């Protein structure tokens, strides 16, 4: 049951002393300084108020570390959710987002309980990179209004109409706002280059807020945009839930759960690589689910593991999940005792932060590297990227995964070999003991050798090969020692093959069948000598049996 044990329990059993606490506390404070402005910026980009992002970082951030399966995972609101959250709020209201997040939390818990964590890693990289880059473009696009200070009341949510609206309002660019945004961007970029250990986001916010307040610049700030923003943690409550609302929001819930699971496990894998530890994927999903339920209870946003914040946590010296819990507590302290200062933060500075976040999400080097891959991978990448921007994230993921799966099966089908006359390769160690399957073949006996997994993508090839023979043999040997896997379609194909042979009066000998394929065949009744089907352990035994059967048949 260790796979379902939170890492916090494991680390406590190993022994926890003041030196570990000190390292975790310093790391937690470092991450909190990074997460503070980021949580506000992501909440605003999602169509919510900045306090919602802070509540999410506090509640979900604490619970992800407490219940999760990674030693150093740090969670909270992330850029991956911005598009989904914005659309859900726009279409269903904030209470609709809470219901969708609640269901997503339950889905994540169920996914962990049923051990689905290991399956998420099979999502193809072109799909992940494509929708991540697409989300980055959408995030950056959503910040143009605040960065330029455009006079627009209602900005369209769709990508193309949004840019058409920007073009129509270009004459309203506010110079002071642009200068503040450029100043924040310059500070962040400069600190990342020359002093990467300093909290660039927070320093940029402090400097720009000070300049705006000192000079009295007429720019939009958090205080002017959100004058009624709460400065305390709300009491727990749940939205009004009905069956109709749940059905209506189920697709959004699955999207949120999928994104949370993908990003959390990717972040955990990155953390493993940096620390040499090993996360528990199913417990991590359970922890993410509990954290999202907790976030909903306090009116927060969807949350997941954050790769950048997790990496910052590790570099700052985090040793155990206590560091992630401390990060949440430090943000709570700031909200309770310094929330009035947030009113001076310019919206253009938050937009600059999100530009930097979007650039990091693009993973431009990996994107370019995938463009150099074969046409199939390039097509999946560009299609997912384009659909994310122009249509919908859910559609992009569905189409991307489906196309990637179909292309993978097409490539796999090319690796499956079916022959009825080639000798074994003496230079191949695995085939060295194989006999030439045509040597001493009795009259009226035909032999086929199948190499590779037989699934629905290649299931028809055996039937086609039999039709091309042009004659019906009395005995057919199917050599299956090199078939590691047989799926339902493969079983159906072999059943059809046997049925055709039976109608033609031929008998079938299956040679060297491995455990999984044999188990599949036995399940549908193809065992022993049922319906003229015989199993032999190797080709020599199959050849001897074929001689006997062909003699009986011929006489």
């Amino acid at each position: 049951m260790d796979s379902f044990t939170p890492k916090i329990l494991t680390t406590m059993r190993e022994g926890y002393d003041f030196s570990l606490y000190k390292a975790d506390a310093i790391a937690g404070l470092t991450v909190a300084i990074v997460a503070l402005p980021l949580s506000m910026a992501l909440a605003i980009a999602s169509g919510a108020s900045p306090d919602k992002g802070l509540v999410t970082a506090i509640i979900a951030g604490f619970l992800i570390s407490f219940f999760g399966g990674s030693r150093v995972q740090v969670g909270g609101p992330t850029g991956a959710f911005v598009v989904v959250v914005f659309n859900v709020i726009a279409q269903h209201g904030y209470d609709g987002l809470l219901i969708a997040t609640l269901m997503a939390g339950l889905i994540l818990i169920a996914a962990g309980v049923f051990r689905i964590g290991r399956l998420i890693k099979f999502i193809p990289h072109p799909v992940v990179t494509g929708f991540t880059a697409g989300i980055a473009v959408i995030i950056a696009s959503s910040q143009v209004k605040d960065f330029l200070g455009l006079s627009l009341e209602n900005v369209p949510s769709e990508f193309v109409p949004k840019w058409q609206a920007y073009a129509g309002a270009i004459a309203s660019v506010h110079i002071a706002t642009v200068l503040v945004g450029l100043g924040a961007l310059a500070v962040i970029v400069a600190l990342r280059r020359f002093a990467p250990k300093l909290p660039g986001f927070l320093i940029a916010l402090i400097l720009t807020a000070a300049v705006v307040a000192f000079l009295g610049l007429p720019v939009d700030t958090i205080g002017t945009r959100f004058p009624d923003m709460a400065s305390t943690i709300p009491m727990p409550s749940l939205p009004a839930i009905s069956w109709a609302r749940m059905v209506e929001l189920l697709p959004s819930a699955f999207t949120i759960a999928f994104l949370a699971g993908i990003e959390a496990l990717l972040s955990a894998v990155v953390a493993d690589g940096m620390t040499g530890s090993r996360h528990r994927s199913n417990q991590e999903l359970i922890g993410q689910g509990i954290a999202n339920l907790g976030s909903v209870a306090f009116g927060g946003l969807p949350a997941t593991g954050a790769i950048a914040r997790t990496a910052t946590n590790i570099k700052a010296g985090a040793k155990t999940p206590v560091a992630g819990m401390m990060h949440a507590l430090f943000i709570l302290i700031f909200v309770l005792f310094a929330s009035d200062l947030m009113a001076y933060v310019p919206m253009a500075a938050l937009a600059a932060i999100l530009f930097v976040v979007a650039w990091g999400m693009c993973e431009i080097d990996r994107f370019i590297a995938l463009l150099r891959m074969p046409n199939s991978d390039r097509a999946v990448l560009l299609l997912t990227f384009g659909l994310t921007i122009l249509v919908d994230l859910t559609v992009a993921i569905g189409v991307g995964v489906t196309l990637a799966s179909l292309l993978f099966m097409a490539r796999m089908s090319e690796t499956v070999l079916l022959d009825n006359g080639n000798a074994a390769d003496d230079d191949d160690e695995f085939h060295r003991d194989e006999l030439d399957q045509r040597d001493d073949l009795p009259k009226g006996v035909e032999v086929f050798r199948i190499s590779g997994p037989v699934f629905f993508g290649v299931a028809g090839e055996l039937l086609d090969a039999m039709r091309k023979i042009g004659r019906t043999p009395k005995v057919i040997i199917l050599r299956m020692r090199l078939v590691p896997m047989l799926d339902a379609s493969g079983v159906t194909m072999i059943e059809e093959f046997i049925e055709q042979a039976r109608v033609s009066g031929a008998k079938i000998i299956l040679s060297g069948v491995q455990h999984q394929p044999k188990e599949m065949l036995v399940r549908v009744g193809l065992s022993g000598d049922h319906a003229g089907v015989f199993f032999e352990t190797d080709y020599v035994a199959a050849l001897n049996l074929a001689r006997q059967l062909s003699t009986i048949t011929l006489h």
Side-chain angles (χ1 to χ4, degrees):
M1 291 297 292
D2 276 351
S3 61
F4 291 107
T5 302
K7 277 287 186 177
I8 185 69
L9 295 182
T10 302
T11 55
M12 291 299 116
R13 289 170 188 164
E14 294 172 352
Y16 195 77
D17 55 24
F18 181 75
S19 62
L20 289 176
Y21 172 76
K22 181 180 178 182
D24 286 338
I26 292 172
L29 177 60
T30 304
V31 179
I33 291 172
V34 173
L36 184 68
L38 201 54
S39 300
M40 293 190 293
L42 290 170
I44 293 170
S46 301
S49 58
D51 58 301
K52 303 299 185 185
L54 295 172
V55 166
T56 307
I58 294 167
I59 304 300
F62 186 92
L63 295 175
I64 284 172
S65 295
F66 189 81
F67 288 103
S70 172
R71 282 181 179 268
V72 288
Q73 178 89 284
V74 174
T78 69
F81 289 126
V82 167
V83 179
V84 177
V85 171
F86 186 92
N87 290 336
V88 172
I89 294 175
Q91 296 173 22
H92 306 286
Y94 197 81
D95 63 328
L97 174 67
L98 294 177
I99 296 171
T101 306
L102 178 67
M103 291 192 293
L106 296 174
I107 292 169
L108 285 167
I109 293 173
V113 170
F114 289 104
R115 301 177 182 271
I116 298 177
R118 63 187 183 89
L119 299 180
I120 294 182
K121 66 183 180 181
F122 294 110
I123 303 296
H125 277 289
V127 174
V128 175
T129 302
F131 78 68
T132 302
I135 290 170
V137 171
I138 294 175
I139 291 174
S141 298
S142 69
Q143 298 307 300
V144 171
K145 172 183 177 291
D146 286 337
F147 192 82
L148 299 180
L150 299 178
S151 297
L152 279 172
E153 289 297 326
N154 296 309
V155 181
S157 59
E158 296 82 7
F159 184 77
V160 174
K162 186 193 301 287
W163 279 96
Q164 290 174 337
Y166 289 157
I170 196 65
S172 65
V173 169
H174 192 260
I175 300 301
T177 300
V178 174
L179 292 176
V180 169
L182 288 174
L185 194 59
V187 169
I188 295 169
V189 172
L191 289 176
R192 287 198 164 197
R193 181 178 179 86
F194 300 108
K197 292 185 178 181
L198 294 179
F201 290 163
L202 187 62
I203 292 174
L205 289 190
I206 293 173
L207 290 178
T208 52
V211 169
V212 168
F214 181 75
L215 298 179
L217 297 178
V219 300
D220 206 6
T221 64
I222 288 180
T224 59
R225 180 74 63 86
F226 304 99
D228 300 322
M229 187 181 76
S231 59
T232 59
I233 301 298
M235 294 298 294
S237 64
L238 289 177
I241 301 174
S242 66
W243 178 254
R245 288 284 273 168
M246 291 175 64
V247 172
E248 179 185 18
L249 290 160
L250 189 60
S252 298
F254 272 108
T255 302
I256 292 171
F258 176 82
L259 289 175
I262 283 285
E263 189 162 4
L265 295 184
L266 284 176
S267 179
V269 169
V270 170
D272 288 351
M274 295 178 69
T275 62
S277 61
R278 186 175 180 182
H279 75 281
R280 295 164 182 159
S281 59
N282 294 309
Q283 181 59 39
E284 185 62 30
L285 290 182
I286 293 173
Q288 297 292 331
I290 294 173
N292 277 280
L293 296 182
S295 183
V296 168
F298 289 88
L301 303 168
T304 184
I307 296 175
R309 273 160 274 176
T310 298
T312 301
N313 192 38
I314 296 169
K315 292 176 182 177
K319 304 298 181 184
T320 75
V322 173
M325 296 157 60
M326 292 298 297
H327 126 273
L329 293 176
F330 280 121
I331 295 177
L332 174 61
I333 291 170
F334 182 87
V335 169
L336 294 178
F337 298 104
S339 57
D340 291 342
L341 299 176
M342 291 187 298
Y344 297 100
V345 173
M347 298 301 298
L350 291 175
I353 289 175
L354 288 175
F355 282 155
V356 175
V357 170
W359 176 256
M361 286 182 65
C362 275
E363 296 184 292
I364 192 67
D365 292 337
R366 179 180 295 182
F367 196 95
I368 293 173
L370 286 173
L371 288 176
R372 300 192 184 105
M373 293 292 109
N375 289 337
S376 56
D377 292 322
R378 187 160 56 241
V380 171
L381 173 71
L382 294 176
L383 183 62
T384 307
F385 177 71
L387 288 175
T388 300
I389 295 173
L390 300 175
V391 183
D392 179 75
L393 183 61
T394 308
V395 172
I397 294 172
V399 173
V401 171
T402 302
L403 179 60
S405 301
L406 292 174
L407 292 172
F408 171 76
M409 286 183 285
R411 287 196 295 265
M412 283 294 294
S413 69
E414 295 172 359
T415 68
V416 179
L417 300 178
L418 175 66
D419 69 85
N420 68 334
N422 294 324
D425 186 354
D426 292 335
D427 295 329
D428 189 330
E429 182 178 349
F430 191 74
H431 295 117
R432 195 169 293 157
D433 62 338
E434 291 281 0
L435 300 173
D436 185 344
Q437 63 184 32
R438 308 301 300 179
D439 286 352
D440 301 323
L441 200 62
K443 183 179 180 181
V445 177
E446 186 58 75
V447 58
F448 293 95
R449 178 168 53 204
I450 310 174
S451 303
V454 180
F455 59 101
F456 67 89
V458 297
E461 292 191 16
L462 186 59
L463 294 173
D464 292 339
M466 184 176 178
R467 296 187 189 103
K468 291 177 182 177
I469 296 175
R471 55 187 170 79
T472 303
K474 300 302 180 182
V475 180
I476 299 174
I477 300 174
L478 279 183
R479 303 181 65 181
M480 298 181 62
R481 188 164 70 90
L482 303 181
V483 178
M485 186 277 292
L486 196 66
D487 75 349
S489 297
V491 171
T492 301
M493 176 270 291
I494 290 180
E495 283 186 295
E496 292 177 5
F497 183 87
I498 290 172
E499 178 62 20
Q500 285 192 11
R502 188 189 64 80
V503 171
S504 302
K507 297 184 180 297
I508 302 292
I509 301 174
L510 304 178
S511 166
V513 184
Q514 294 190 39
H515 175 73
Q516 191 274 346
K518 188 170 184 177
E519 186 180 66
M520 292 289 289
L521 293 171
V522 169
R523 286 183 181 181
V524 296
L526 295 177
S527 60
D529 59 353
H530 175 75
V533 179
F534 302 86
F535 285 84
E536 291 294 345
T537 56
D538 55 44
Y539 181 56
V540 174
L543 199 58
N544 290 332
L545 177 60
R547 290 193 181 98
Q548 298 174 24
L549 294 175
S550 63
T551 301
I552 295 172
T553 305
L554 290 171
H555 289 82

